[in-house]
Amino acid sequence: MENNSDVIYRMLVQSVIDYAITMLKPDGTVASWNGGGLHVLGYRPDEIIGQHATLFYNEEDRRRGQLQRELDIAANAGRFETEGWRCRKDGSTFWAHVVIYPIRNEVARLVGFAAICRDCTRQQEQQHKEREQESRFRLLVEGVTDYAIYMLDHDGNVVNWNAGAQRAKGYVAEEIVGQHFSRFYSAQDRLGHVPEQNLQTAYRTGRFEDEGWRYRKDGSAFWAHVVIDTIRDDQGQLLGYAKITRDCTEQQRIRSEQREQEQRFRLLVEGVTDYAIYMLDVDGVVVNWNAGAERAKGYKAEEVVGQHFSLFYSSHERLNRTPEANLGIARKTGRFEDEGWRYRKDGSAFWAHVVIDAIHDDDGKLVGFAKITRDRTERREQEQQILRARDLAEAQSTQKTALSKFLDNIIANIPSCVIVEDAITREILLVNDRTQQLFGLSKSLIVNKRPHECMSPELSDYFNNLADVALRSEGMHEREQLLMTASGERILHTRATAINGQDARRNYLMLLVEDVTDQRAADARIHHMAHHDNLTSLPNRILFRQRLSEALRTAGQMQRQTAALCLDLDNFKNVNDALGHQIGDELLRSVAKRLRNALRDQDTLARIGGDEFAIVLPHVAGNDEASAVAQRLIEAIRPPVNIEGHNLSVGLSVGIALSTTITNTPEQLLRCADMALYEAKRNGRNRYEHFTLEMDDVARSRRLIENDLRDAISGGHLRLYYQPITNGDHHTIIGYEALMRWHHPIRGLIMPNDFIPIAEETGLIHMLGAFALYEACREAASWEGEQSVSVNLSPLQFKNSSLVPVVEGALKESGLDPARLEVEITESVLLDDSLGNIRTLQNLKALGVQIALDDFGTGYSSLSYLRSFPFDKIKIDKSFINDMGDSREALAIIRAITGMSRSLDIQITAEGVESDEQFAKLRDEGCTLFQGFLFGRPQPSELRLKTLG
């Protein structure tokens, strides 16, 4: 036995290639050498045995006697461990982790040393990179300006105060310098001396770091990340403390959401930890690869992604195209499940339980397969061992005692419950420890009893029925059922097999029982998470489509109709923006509950995104019934919802579509309901609309224009026309306004009012706006003279962070003087996200561009805009120009605007001037610039008017 152990040990040492394991004589001479020595240090055994181990050290270490010192330490201390540079045979060096153990004989005399060396160069380089990363991170942090940073003296009194502190906490410097920093804590924290304890921790350890609630001057609380560092002079004397505080309220909310998401994900993963889970494309090629798959099959992701999954099968199965046949079953029926031999990267086989599920998108198109594989080799071997051991015990009576003990050990360690019965009498002959735990009975109360004598009627009937099935036909028979056990209600998965004894008159039954309750619960959680919305627990879009398909199918059989309703909350975005996502989420939960309570049990309410919901109403009689439901939903949402002291009111817009011969698929019905919802919102919101064929016609027409507009942008069918702008002398053109025109190959000239709204709805406005800026700057740069060019900006362009770079790029590419470019905005730009948009305007101003406020006077708060930003020009809306001859109010507004512009030194442009009388009157009232058909109509650049009169 000892000789065998020596052989096994020697084989083990020789097989390790990542470690150089060597024996050294007391003087440091190499006595033995393993395969890892060649891998790590480059020497073969015949090259190094008999050489001195100083070969592995550099010249400086050899000169200092480094090896001998390490051997002495190992001999005295019983072990030596270090890291440092070592040398290979080829002269290259590597960073090594070295352990040296002394070897002594029976009388404690030193007979040599065991040395183990591992190449850790990669780990050392990684640590170096991490240190560099930490340095870069420190530089990054030092540049962040969103922190409150200030100093405290020895006692915690504020010494200075930066602008970030004023923004974060609301105090100006003269209010807080000299005050104790505890005023930022709650009254309870101050009573418990928490500020002083934090300062004491910083004094004692050099730093205090924490997160918690802090308070601003106005009494509002914010979640803060706080660091207090002690500041000492070169002699170590305490000078004070540096305190850094950052408002992390939003990050705290995000972290909370992430933790919830991580918890959900953890529950999902915990249910499938023993499985290899990966995706196949429609042809059976591996798309991704999880850690369980790597453990089960030995391949890393980079080795197997892109390979066909048939490589896990035997060559014989590949020749018979078994993998393709299995995939075909999954494609046809939706699922393939089997057990059989599969093969790892190293060629070894394992007994696998395999499931292949077909994955379809919302339109029912096959997009690939989910493949789940579990290694069942151990379980199968255990089952085979039981059968082999029982046969062996009966066949060899001389070894019966030893084999019986062996069998008992195997059965005792099987993770399933094992019950062996006499096939005739049903007397229980054998059980293992797991069976005792599950049924709460000792072996003595089970063995030699029949099931009905030691189990509840429910359990005994369950096992007896399964045993009857196993005796009637050969093979293994399985059943799964929820049963009451000593551990409560549990789901038991049982396999029953009939076993023939040595004597044909004696047969046995073997029952293998697994408690799969937790596994099935995890499966149920996974299924629920895949088909329900996390926030409201309502069905999600996938389950909604399934329910809608079922309703349409049964409605066709019963000659009834199915209604689909699309719902959208009115005013929800304002609640979210004003009060935050946490309040918004609570509001969505409350709304979902109200909507659900207003529906029948057979109706399906789903959340399909944001504040959008959808409903399936199966078996409706017609439009009137669907209308009644929609009105009931609107009324259910109308009362305010109180959330954390806020009374919140939102409305509900509903679109209704009923199944017909035209709308008889889930996609068609949902699309029609969505069109009806759009119509309800367009007609004033907080109402419902039914789908009509006219809506479909409008939508088709709009889609045609949208598609043509995309072609126009890419095909160069858009052009800029230029309308002249003159000063008061009626002769000089000082600039032009660029106006976009679409030359459609079939419809002819299309004006902006007919396509700009569609461009804004589809997001094409960003491409149109960039085209207008680049084209206007390019053409204006070619003009003789210094006339300016004016380009209109859509409010939606301000939602794109690239607006300023686009303007800058247009100027740089064309070479146009920035002072010659003027951008025109409307009041709605300042009405929406005014602070962010004003910053964008300031950045445009910094480029040297002129800014004009268009359609001035039509908004309800125009005067306030002139205080928020220094506009270069104001354009009086043409509606006032048209009415000033007949309306005293219009003329009064014009006089007010011109008077105000003189005091603010802002130029006034009157647009829409069409007659000499209007021109003369406006010039008398103080307008400085003029634009309208009186001075010229918009024309292409080459045909534009260059002079007047």
Side-chain angles (χ1 to χ4, degrees):
M1 181 65 183
E2 291 179 355
N3 291 335
N4 288 339
S5 298
D6 291 341
V7 170
I8 292 171
Y9 172 74
R10 190 159 53 250
M11 291 174 64
L12 173 63
V13 171
Q14 288 298 328
S15 66
V16 174
I17 65 168
D18 290 330
Y19 292 81
I21 304 175
T22 180
M23 296 293 294
L24 302 179
K25 295 179 180 179
D27 64 352
T29 302
V30 177
S32 70
W33 195 252
N34 79 326
L38 175 62
H39 178 73
V40 176
L41 291 159
Y43 293 94
R44 297 193 308 274
D46 59 330
E47 295 176 316
I48 196 62
I49 292 177
Q51 301 292 326
H52 202 269
T54 53
L55 284 174
F56 312 138
Y57 291 74
N58 60 38
E59 184 177 348
E60 175 64 21
D61 286 343
R62 289 198 295 270
R63 186 179 59 78
R64 292 190 292 107
Q66 181 67 25
L67 172 62
Q68 191 58 50
R69 279 204 301 274
E70 293 173 359
L71 294 178
D72 292 342
I73 293 171
N76 294 327
R79 186 177 190 272
F80 174 79
E81 184 173 1
T82 187
E83 286 191 359
W85 294 106
R86 295 294 183 268
C87 301
R88 298 188 181 92
K89 175 185 173 183
D90 61 5
S92 62
T93 59
F94 65 98
W95 188 262
H97 177 264
V98 179
V99 182
I100 302 175
Y101 296 92
I103 308 294
R104 299 184 185 275
N105 60 16
E106 294 80 3
V107 294
R109 186 171 69 84
L110 182 70
V111 297
F113 299 90
I116 302 173
C117 175
R118 187 185 184 190
D119 184 350
C120 294
T121 309
R122 183 173 297 175
Q123 293 91 321
Q124 199 266 350
E125 290 174 350
Q126 182 62 31
Q127 290 171 359
H128 179 68
K129 289 179 181 177
E130 288 174 353
R131 286 193 294 271
E132 288 182 344
Q133 181 66 18
E134 289 171 358
S135 176
R136 287 193 294 269
F137 182 75
R138 192 160 51 247
L139 291 173
L140 172 65
V141 170
E142 289 170 357
V144 173
T145 59
D146 293 330
Y147 290 82
I149 305 173
Y150 52 98
M151 295 287 296
L152 306 177
D153 64 16
H154 301 70
D155 301 318
N157 296 316
V158 178
V159 176
N160 53 31
W161 196 248
N162 79 329
Q166 182 175 333
R167 285 197 303 273
K169 303 194 177 186
Y171 296 93
V172 296
E174 51 268 32
E175 294 175 310
I176 198 64
V177 171
Q179 300 293 322
H180 197 270
F181 83 109
S182 60
R183 67 165 49 204
F184 310 133
Y185 289 71
S186 67
Q188 183 178 357
D189 285 347
R190 291 197 296 272
L191 193 62
H193 302 291
V194 172
E196 291 78 8
Q197 293 170 7
N198 295 350
L199 212 61
Q200 186 63 30
T201 300
Y203 176 84
R204 189 173 61 255
T205 65
R207 165 175 275 226
F208 170 80
E209 187 170 3
D210 191 22
E211 286 194 358
W213 293 108
R214 296 296 184 270
Y215 294 83
R216 302 185 182 92
K217 176 185 175 182
D218 62 5
S220 61
F222 65 101
W223 187 263
H225 176 263
V226 178
V227 176
I228 305 176
D229 284 309
T230 55
I231 306 299
R232 299 180 183 274
D233 60 19
D234 294 340
Q235 287 72 42
Q237 295 295 316
L238 180 68
L239 298 177
Y241 302 87
K243 191 165 186 296
I244 303 175
T245 303
R246 189 181 188 192
D247 184 347
C248 295
T249 309
E250 180 63 14
Q251 293 91 323
Q252 170 71 2
R253 182 189 67 78
I254 293 171
R255 282 201 297 269
S256 177
E257 290 179 352
Q258 288 174 340
R259 283 194 294 271
E260 291 179 1
Q261 182 66 22
E262 288 168 359
Q263 184 180 9
R264 288 192 293 268
F265 182 77
R266 192 161 54 250
L267 289 172
L268 176 64
V269 172
E270 286 171 355
V272 290
T273 51
D274 294 330
Y275 293 82
I277 303 175
Y278 53 98
M279 294 289 294
L280 306 177
D281 67 15
V282 293
D283 298 317
V285 174
V286 178
V287 175
N288 54 33
W289 197 248
N290 79 329
E294 182 176 337
R295 288 196 302 273
K297 303 193 177 185
Y299 294 92
K300 295 185 179 299
E302 56 267 26
E303 297 174 314
V304 77
V305 171
Q307 301 292 325
H308 196 271
F309 84 112
S310 59
L311 64 90
F312 310 131
Y313 288 71
S314 68
S315 57
H316 178 71
E317 288 175 316
R318 291 198 294 272
L319 191 63
N320 290 336
R321 301 189 65 80
T322 301
E324 290 78 6
N326 296 348
L327 213 61
I329 294 171
R331 182 182 286 107
K332 183 177 180 180
T333 66
R335 183 180 179 89
F336 169 81
E337 186 170 3
D338 189 24
E339 286 194 357
W341 292 108
R342 297 294 184 270
Y343 295 84
R344 302 185 182 93
K345 176 185 175 183
D346 61 8
S348 62
F350 65 99
W351 187 261
H353 176 263
V354 178
V355 175
I356 305 176
D357 282 311
I359 306 299
H360 297 84
D361 61 17
D362 289 344
D363 299 323
K365 179 183 176 183
L366 180 70
V367 295
F369 302 90
K371 192 165 187 295
I372 304 175
T373 304
R374 190 179 189 188
D375 186 347
R376 305 298 290 270
T377 310
E378 183 179 354
R379 184 182 301 281
R380 185 176 187 273
E381 181 60 24
Q382 289 166 348
E383 294 169 359
Q384 294 297 316
Q385 275 186 320
I386 293 173
L387 299 178
R388 289 196 299 268
R390 174 56 71 187
D391 289 342
L392 186 63
E394 291 179 348
Q396 301 178 11
S397 58
T398 58
Q399 301 178 11
K400 187 173 182 179
T401 302
L403 289 176
S404 178
K405 183 177 180 181
F406 171 64
L407 180 61
D408 289 343
N409 286 335
I410 292 175
I411 293 173
N413 289 286
I414 290 177
S416 303
C417 301
V418 178
I419 303 173
V420 178
E421 298 179 358
D422 184 289
I424 299 174
T425 66
R426 298 292 171 87
E427 181 181 341
I428 298 173
L429 305 176
L430 180 68
V431 295
N432 65 349
D433 294 341
R434 279 293 181 93
T435 307
Q436 296 181 89
Q437 296 169 11
L438 181 64
F439 299 120
L441 296 172
S442 65
K443 287 184 181 180
S444 61
L445 297 177
I446 301 177
V447 175
N448 300 324
K449 301 285 182 64
R450 294 179 178 86
H452 70 272
E453 295 174 337
C454 59
M455 300 179 190
S456 67
E458 184 183 30
L459 282 172
S460 63
D461 288 347
Y462 171 69
F463 290 125
N464 286 334
N465 290 338
L466 192 55
D468 291 342
V469 174
L471 287 173
R472 281 197 298 268
S473 58
E474 292 183 348
M476 181 178 290
H477 300 274
E478 300 183 59
R479 184 172 298 171
E480 193 169 292
Q481 189 170 324
L482 179 65
L483 298 162
M484 180 59 72
T485 70
S487 303
E489 283 195 333
R490 310 299 291 174
I491 300 174
L492 302 184
H493 182 93
T494 305
R495 283 169 291 184
T497 306
I499 303 171
N500 295 324
Q502 186 176 11
D503 186 342
R505 294 167 298 179
R506 190 74 181 268
N507 293 318
Y508 305 93
L509 284 165
M510 182 175 67
L511 302 169
L512 296 176
V513 186
E514 284 187 87
D515 182 351
V516 296
T517 309
D518 295 338
Q519 183 179 335
R520 295 297 176 262
D523 293 343
R525 285 197 300 272
I526 294 169
H527 185 272
H528 185 273
M529 292 172 68
H531 292 84
H532 290 79
D533 171 52
N534 287 332
L535 179 65
T536 62
S537 292
L538 292 175
N540 61 11
R541 186 183 291 272
I542 296 172
L543 184 54
F544 174 80
R545 188 186 181 281
Q546 294 175 3
R547 298 277 178 82
L548 184 54
S549 297
E550 293 169 5
L552 287 171
R553 185 168 55 252
T554 56
Q557 297 167 354
M558 300 174 62
Q559 302 299 314
R560 301 276 286 181
Q561 286 183 290
T562 296
L565 279 62
C566 284
L567 288 64
D568 188 83
L569 298 183
D570 305 327
N571 197 40
F572 176 74
K573 182 179 183 298
N574 294 338
V575 173
N576 232 11
D577 292 345
L579 300 176
H581 292 283
Q582 184 174 351
I583 298 293
D585 288 350
E586 288 299 324
L587 178 58
L588 285 174
R589 291 190 187 97
S590 299
V591 166
K593 190 176 297 182
R594 288 189 181 183
L595 293 174
R596 181 63 262 178
N597 290 338
L599 296 171
R600 304 170 300 180
D601 291 341
Q602 65 264 36
D603 301 333
T604 298
L605 169 66
R607 181 176 177 231
I608 58 176
D611 59 345
E612 300 174 18
F613 297 84
I615 295 173
V616 179
L617 299 179
H619 315 314
V620 294
N623 282 334
D624 291 344
E625 185 177 349
S627 298
V629 173
Q631 189 60 43
R632 192 163 67 244
L633 294 169
I634 292 171
E635 296 301 326
I637 297 304
R638 194 183 305 277
V641 181
N642 188 285
I643 298 177
E644 295 185 11
H646 302 283
N647 279 327
L648 307 176
S649 295
V650 291
L652 186 69
S653 297
V654 183
I656 306 170
L658 269 69
S659 57
T660 64
T661 55
I662 298 174
T663 56
N664 58 2
T665 69
E667 292 75 19
Q668 292 169 337
L669 195 60
L670 200 57
R671 183 177 66 85
C672 293
D674 195 53
M675 281 191 279
L677 172 63
Y678 179 81
E679 185 70 12
K681 293 167 69 174
R682 193 176 69 83
N683 290 336
R685 302 175 183 270
N686 205 32
R687 57 182 289 130
Y688 64 84
E689 292 286 352
H690 284 271
F691 168 75
T692 63
L693 292 178
E694 288 76 9
M695 292 180 192
D696 194 38
D697 293 339
V698 171
R700 290 177 188 275
S701 175
R702 181 190 169 283
R703 282 196 298 274
L704 288 174
I705 293 177
E706 178 187 336
N707 292 334
D708 288 350
L709 182 56
R710 294 181 188 277
D711 293 339
I713 295 173
S714 59
H717 299 150
L718 299 167
R719 293 200 63 184
L720 293 182
Y721 280 37
Y722 298 90
Q723 185 172 31
I725 302 171
T726 182
N727 58 17
D729 67 8
H730 204 324
H731 296 291
T732 306
I733 295 177
I734 58 96
Y736 301 88
E737 180 178 1
L739 302 167
M740 191 170 291
R741 297 292 185 265
W742 178 7
H743 289 271
H744 194 281
I746 298 174
R747 303 184 185 191
L749 186 65
I750 300 179
M751 301 301 285
N753 288 343
D754 296 323
F755 65 86
I756 291 296
I758 294 175
E760 289 180 330
E761 289 176 20
T762 58
L764 292 173
I765 191 65
H766 300 297
M767 281 70 81
L768 286 181
F771 165 78
L773 285 163
Y774 272 82
E775 188 70 5
C777 290
R778 183 187 67 79
E779 292 190 322
S782 67
W783 298 341
E784 296 180 1
E786 297 298 320
Q787 294 103 331
S788 64
V789 62
S790 178
V791 180
N792 291 282
L793 298 182
S794 166
L796 289 178
Q797 289 178 261
F798 281 79
K799 297 184 181 296
N800 192 329
S801 60
S802 66
L803 175 58
V804 175
V806 166
V807 174
E808 189 174 14
L811 291 169
K812 185 177 294 185
E813 182 176 296
S814 64
L816 183 71
D817 181 358
R820 292 180 59 196
L821 175 62
E822 178 180 296
V823 295
E824 296 185 13
I825 69 166
T826 60
E827 297 176 9
S828 58
V829 169
L830 299 174
L831 194 62
D832 183 19
D833 186 21
S834 58
L835 290 177
N837 290 344
I838 285 175
R839 280 195 293 270
T840 301
L841 289 172
Q842 290 169 341
N843 292 334
L844 290 173
K845 190 79 169 175
L847 297 177
V849 172
Q850 304 292 303
I851 312 289
L853 182 58
D854 196 9
D855 298 338
F856 188 75
T858 58
Y860 64 87
S861 57
S862 303
L863 297 180
S864 65
Y865 300 148
L866 301 181
R867 298 176 56 192
S868 62
F869 184 79
F871 290 95
D872 298 293
K873 293 180 184 177
I874 296 173
K875 299 188 74 172
I876 302 177
D877 187 68
K878 61 184 179 182
S879 62
F880 297 113
I881 309 301
N882 293 335
D883 296 343
M884 71 177 182
D886 304 319
S887 170
R888 293 175 55 191
E889 291 80 5
L891 184 58
I893 291 173
I894 292 172
R895 287 174 176 170
I897 294 173
T898 55
M900 178 182 58
S901 68
R902 283 193 295 271
S903 63
L904 295 176
D905 195 23
I906 299 176
Q907 284 192 312
I908 295 293
T909 301
E911 57 180 354
V913 181
E914 298 183 0
S915 68
D916 288 322
E917 292 77 13
Q918 289 176 335
F919 171 63
K921 184 66 173 175
L922 290 165
R923 185 170 55 184
D924 291 342
E925 294 297 338
C927 291
T928 53
L929 301 175
F930 305 89
Q931 178 182 351
F933 290 165
L934 178 63
F935 312 106
R937 294 179 178 272
Q939 295 291 339
S941 176
E942 64 274 13
L943 300 177
R944 75 189 190 284
L945 287 175
K946 299 180 176 61
T947 59
L948 298 173

